[in-house]
Amino acid sequence: MSPEKPTAEEPTAEEPTAEASAEPVPEEDVTRGEGAQIAAVVALTLALIGFATGLAQPKLAAPRLRAVPSAVVTEVPQAPTYGQLPEASLGPNAEWRSHLQDLARTPGDLLAPREVPSEAAKLRALEVRAKRRAYSGAPPTIPHQVSARSAASCLSCHETGLRIGDRVASPMPHRLLVNCLQCHGAPPPRALAAAKGGVKPSHFRGQAEPLRGKRASLGAPPVIPHATHMRERCVSCHGPGASSPALQSSHPWRVNCRQCHAASAAGFAK
Amino acid sequence: MDRREFLRLSALATASAAIARRVAAQEGPGKRLPQAPKPPEIPGVTWNKAPCRFCGTGCHVQVGVKDERVVAVAGDAQAEVNKGLLCVKGYHVGGILYGEDRLTQPMVRKNGELEPISWEGAIDLIATNIMKAPERFAFYGSGQWTIPEGFAAQKLMKGGLSNNHIDPNARLCMASAVTGFLSTYGVDEPASCFDDLEACDVTILWGNNPAEMHPVLFSRLMDRRSLGNPVRLIDLTTRFTRSSEMADEVMIFTPQSDLAIANCIAQQLVAKDAYDKEFVRKHCNFRGDTSPPTLWGKEISFEDYKKSLQDYTPEKVAPISGLSVGQLTLLGDVFADKTLRIVSLWCMGMNQHTQGTAINNLVHAVHLLSGHWGKPGDGPQSLTGQPAACGTVREVGTLAHALPGGRVVMNAGHRVECEKLWNLPAGRISKTPGHHTVKMFEKFCTPTDKGGDIGMIWVQVTNPGQTLPNLHKLFLAKKNLEDKFLVVSEVYPTKTTELADLVLPAALWVEKNGIFGNSERRTQQWFKMVEPPGQARDDCWQTIAVAHRLLELGHPGMKDKDGHFIFRTLDEAGREVPIWKWEHYYSVNVDRRLYEEYRPFTHKKHKNVAPYDQLVTHRGLRWPVVETKTGEWRETRWRFVEGADPFVEKGKGIQFYHSRTKDDKALIWFRPYVPPPESPDDEFTHWLCTGRVLEHWHSGTLTRRVTQLRRAAPAAYAELNPEDAAAMGVSNGDLVVLETRRGRIEIPAWVDGRARPPRGTVFVPFFDERVPINELTLDAHDPYSKQPDYKKCAVKIRKKGHA
Ligand code: SF4
């Protein structure tokens, strides 16, 4: 693949879909929405099962990011006593182990050749998104343990975004807000992982993630199909090195996204 | 510097660098908020505004509805309160509607089991039971009642049944704030508003953890730091919380010593001659306790005041409070600095206090004495926990002694005014205050032949079976009393429905029309957006239907002076609409009808709420709202302040126009430090503090059903100090046994969890129905507000399986 290749790959130009055709087919959107809804419900159920078995681990939500088995760590680490706690290496990602030489930073390369994601890959990426969100636009829940209390520790990875080995920390898509846990729910604290039972759950069915935005004509840039409130930084999900490659832009070097991609119109209540 | 401190500092340094980079990337510090959002065009989704269902912050959400269901929620960028942001509860508020076990059918208890009953049967059962002994009936509601719901219940009880036994759970929540405002300013409710959060230089948290309880307000405050407009945060607290993480000064004090700390600030202001003489001369009188103490106390001179304070020097208060002389002096110096603008925030820490009224008085006092009052960013701000604690409880007056619009039943003139506004025959309203919450349930749980003069309670929109203190005494004792009848309108099975004799399924949040009133005097309206499930119906309809059944059974109180039904509602053509029949309830806007009936009540105390139709087009309006000459409706940001409050006379600057002393002055109180009714001793060795967490709202019946919220906070826990835990050999997740003189529970320990209590203190949240911590808490309460203290009692604690 040559570096020029992505330019020729306006995603839908090669894969005409209902949305890519000149005629808008809203019904299609609805059906697809429902498909994704079912997927979301399945995903939610999976997440619940995962929760019930105390396995709210990153690998559940992001299949691509499986933990690297380490050749170095052979013995089971001793649990620290309270006296040792301040010194112990119990970070939020303590369950993830790798070793230094594997951890070459792989910054997103703007011009790196990029495979055209298949429709199926895109749907899978949306499924992964849906697992961590109550509805399209909901603040995602946190997939990893959080022991930190201040925004500083969240920002150290999520401020500009970070990729180490096969781990991706998405950059936050909204303006700087410093009480991260105000909106983003953490996994159950380990101390309470054994908690079971209690009241029955909710059957809330959230609005599914929208599919590709409509195009005015073949080849026109698609409109943004989702709200951009609190998602002003497009690169968070669509930039190079974003956690789901299938959602990445085919032309990441163009930075003024909304120059070409308009927001969709209908509105919130006045 | 130890390792932890080093880590903390380096983390802070990283954050500051990150913040600086982000600020540089933004378009100057002045540009705060993004433009109003462009929402997505999602097929079939319609959006409408509503206030969030939960806390007294009163954020507005945009509710996305598709196919008759709520499918999405977004922060409302047009709302001044939250400017587009929400907290994790608000983002997931839609989930509370769809719990698998929603109550959808009226049910009556027969031979110990709940069995279906028709709505007609249920309404008739309530009415006939009331008819048997109207004076033994009590109505228990909450600050989650919408304004029309509370107003209807209020009218049914006080205007219809001549019975004042109506009280809300807000008695357990902000009654002391009410008595504090009343005895200081002569009239209830905060004078300041949330705009102060952006204008202040210093914020002092008085036993308050807004990072978890009022997160959007806390973000408004903390976001200033990243926007180049820093604020200094001083956290007076009894445990190190998430708010403490962000504080510049964290002062951990001994429970109950807040009284001494406030007096110590006043002492320093006076001793250093640093109080605001001009402000005090123009706007304040001094007040001290009588013996025995009363709510209104007696006038004292400045000299008396000064003398009372002499025992509260920093040196003397340090040992009582656990704070250092340096910390106490710092507080004194902050208030002495006239160039600063200071906001005090408080909520349950000061209100759930056996000296709640006193500590409220004292915090107002330090602000008045120092002149930190009435400028933007400069003044005391009390917060509420429920969405309409202010709107419904304080303004509509759904309290045992109150009448709408700041009136009280004991005042003959007030009764006459209400009878007039309601068009009732003279003498209809009883002058004897009803039972306040604790007494109501105590009497309900006492056998009839032993003086238990309450035979029936109807509970709406709250869960006393989990939230009352000392539950064995005040709730569970009902179990053995055959003749007591408990009616509960609810949306889910709860600890309260477990003992209910009749359960009525209720509509929730956007399944009905509603109006709330938040902590800054903001009245907020929304429309019904989806149908309630099954046979669930509006609480307000239930009240009106019972009233109409009482009318049919011949209760004379259900008629006004002209013989009309007290809830008579006409359509536009002037024909009566039978709103007591469910199929007609939404043929007219009953909310609008009741609210407009209520509105004139608010004028007496200058709490003029906005007309309904204005509310429809606004994200809430802060009262007093008055019509200008040009026909616009203008809200009020700072009450009693000239230029902001239309009722302040020209040239007065500040005018406390409901002053107790009738001279437009507020009262600076001296109230002494009084030890708590129960302190740790040799047997019950630790302090027990209870409270809320970010993810769950109050007793958790709504939020515990929401997957994302439950995941983050799956169970209640005993938050332990690491050294205490080590001494007991307790690790994370181990079961511990907590025991007080009133009850005993088992609960997992969380050591060094989201907050860190000091040695000798345990914290337990009350959201988890499986761990009824209120079986352990104290029912001792404030003498004036009758609000119990959930924040401190003595507990013993051991690892399960160890003696
Ligand atoms: S719970 Fe309170 S802070 Fe959170 S969104 Fe609702 S009103 Fe706002």
Side-chain angles (χ1 to χ4, degrees), chain B residues 92-103:
Chain B
H92 296 98
V93 58
I96 64 174
L97 300 176
Y98 302 111
E100 172 173 307
D101 50 350
R102 265 303 284 269
L103 298 171

Side-chain angles (χ1 to χ4, degrees), chain B residues 308-331:
Chain B
S308 312
L309 288 172
Q310 69 196 11
D311 285 340
Y312 295 92
T313 60
E315 290 70 24
K316 286 183 182 162
V317 170
I320 307 173
S321 65
L323 300 188
S324 68
V325 171
Q327 287 173 317
L328 291 163
T329 319
L330 185 149
L331 288 171

Side-chain angles (χ1 to χ4, degrees), chain B residues 52-59 86-87 89-91 213-216:
Chain B
C52 170
R53 175 62 179 71
F54 303 120
C55 82
T57 300
C59 299
L86 296 172
C87 80
K89 291 187 293 299
Y91 281 115
M213 306 327 155
H214 298 87
V216 165

Side-chain angles (χ1 to χ4, degrees), chain B residues 201-202 333-342 372 375 378:
Chain B
D201 302 304
V202 182
D333 291 346
V334 165
F335 276 95
D337 188 340
K338 297 201 175 56
T339 64
L340 294 176
R341 296 196 169 198
I342 307 169
H372 288 291
K375 296 181 283 296
D378 216 14

Side-chain angles (χ1 to χ4, degrees), chain A residues 2 6 26 48 54 75 77 101 111 119 147 182 185 209 221 227 257 264 267:
Chain A
S2 71
L48 266 177
E75 82 282 17
Q101 61 271 34
L111 300 177
E119 278 305 294
S147 62
Q182 170 182 324
E209 293 289 346
C257 312
S264 44

Side-chain angles (χ1 to χ4, degrees), chain B residues 218-273:
Chain B
F218 192 66
S219 276
R220 273 176 73 165
L221 205 55
M222 289 301 107
D223 289 352
R224 288 177 46 182
R225 291 189 174 161
S226 41
L227 293 167
N229 173 22
V231 57
R232 185 167 172 206
L233 188 65
I234 300 179
D235 185 23
L236 278 165
T237 180
T238 56
R239 58 195 250 277
F240 192 97
T241 66
R242 279 198 186 160
S243 303
S244 315
E245 300 284 348
M246 301 284 224
D248 301 281
E249 307 286 343
V250 181
M251 305 189 182
I252 297 187
F253 64 90
T254 310
Q256 190 88 354
S257 71
D258 43 1
L259 297 155
I261 295 168
N263 278 334
C264 178
I265 297 172
Q267 189 277 338
Q268 295 176 65
L269 289 169
V270 172
K272 292 181 185 161
D273 209 28

Side-chain angles (χ1 to χ4, degrees), chain B residues 424-672:
Chain B
L424 300 174
R428 172 70 66 78
I429 299 171
S430 158
K431 62 170 189 263
T432 323
H435 292 330
H436 60 80
T437 300
V438 172
K439 200 156 160 208
M440 183 190 285
F441 281 92
E442 196 181 314
K443 293 287 184 187
F444 185 62
C445 290
T446 304
T448 308
D449 54 6
K450 296 220 169 70
D453 63 4
I454 296 293
M456 170 181 184
I457 297 186
W458 184 359
V459 176
Q460 285 191 340
V461 281
T462 183
N463 184 13
Q466 192 170 333
T467 55
L468 284 168
N470 199 358
L471 281 168
H472 286 291
K473 175 179 160 191
L474 295 182
F475 188 72
L476 299 172
K478 186 258 171 197
K479 239 182 249 172
N480 312 317
L481 304 175
E482 289 289 307
D483 64 330
K484 305 276 178 160
F485 193 68
L486 181 64
V487 183
V488 182
S489 303
E490 247 304 352
V491 294
Y492 290 113
T494 65
K495 290 305 238 188
T496 311
T497 61
E498 276 175 23
L499 291 197
D501 301 289
L502 181 65
V503 177
L504 305 174
L508 173 63
W509 192 45
V510 295
E511 292 166 355
K512 59 187 180 187
N513 288 342
I515 309 169
F516 283 158
N518 84 347
S519 306
E520 56 163 357
R521 295 172 279 110
R522 185 184 290 275
T523 320
Q524 308 157 296
Q525 173 277 350
W526 76 93
F527 286 122
K528 173 174 176 170
M529 301 176 203
V530 295
E531 286 297 326
Q535 294 183 42
R537 295 178 185 179
D538 298 32
D539 295 274
C540 196
W541 173 82
Q542 298 177 19
T543 304
I544 292 170
V546 166
H548 194 264
R549 186 71 194 124
L550 285 167
L551 177 79
E552 290 171 345
L553 294 173
H555 194 291
M558 296 303 120
K559 285 186 184 161
D560 68 10
K561 225 161 61 183
D562 302 325
H564 295 307
F565 179 39
I566 54 170
F567 293 110
R568 186 164 89 122
T569 300
L570 305 178
D571 65 11
E572 276 168 17
R575 285 172 309 225
E576 179 158 10
V577 184
I579 56 168
W580 56 90
K581 291 185 181 152
W582 177 242
E583 58 276 22
H584 291 285
Y585 188 67
Y586 274 91
S587 333
V588 281
N589 186 341
V590 176
D591 258 39
R592 185 174 186 278
R593 134 92 178 81
L594 289 171
Y595 179 81
E596 288 299 331
E597 176 178 319
Y598 157 66
R599 203 153 68 81
F601 282 85
T602 64
H603 296 167
K604 181 185 178 74
K605 300 274 174 164
H606 305 93
K607 300 186 180 192
N608 308 33
V609 292
Y612 187 87
D613 297 338
Q614 286 296 315
L615 296 179
V616 170
T617 54
H618 285 88
R619 301 294 188 273
L621 284 166
R622 286 170 282 192
W623 60 259
V625 179
V626 293
E627 197 170 9
T628 62
K629 291 200 184 80
T630 54
E632 315 253 284
W633 291 85
R634 213 196 84 170
E635 63 164 2
T636 299
R637 292 198 288 172
W638 293 282
R639 216 179 166 205
F640 308 129
V641 177
E642 188 178 349
D645 182 339
F647 296 116
V648 172
E649 288 163 37
K650 225 172 162 181
K652 292 269 184 185
I654 285 173
Q655 184 185 15
F656 298 108
Y657 47 72
H658 284 294
S659 161
R660 174 79 182 170
T661 40
K662 310 265 184 250
D663 54 0
D664 291 343
K665 291 183 178 180
L667 302 177
I668 295 180
W669 273 89
F670 171 76
R671 301 261 199 195

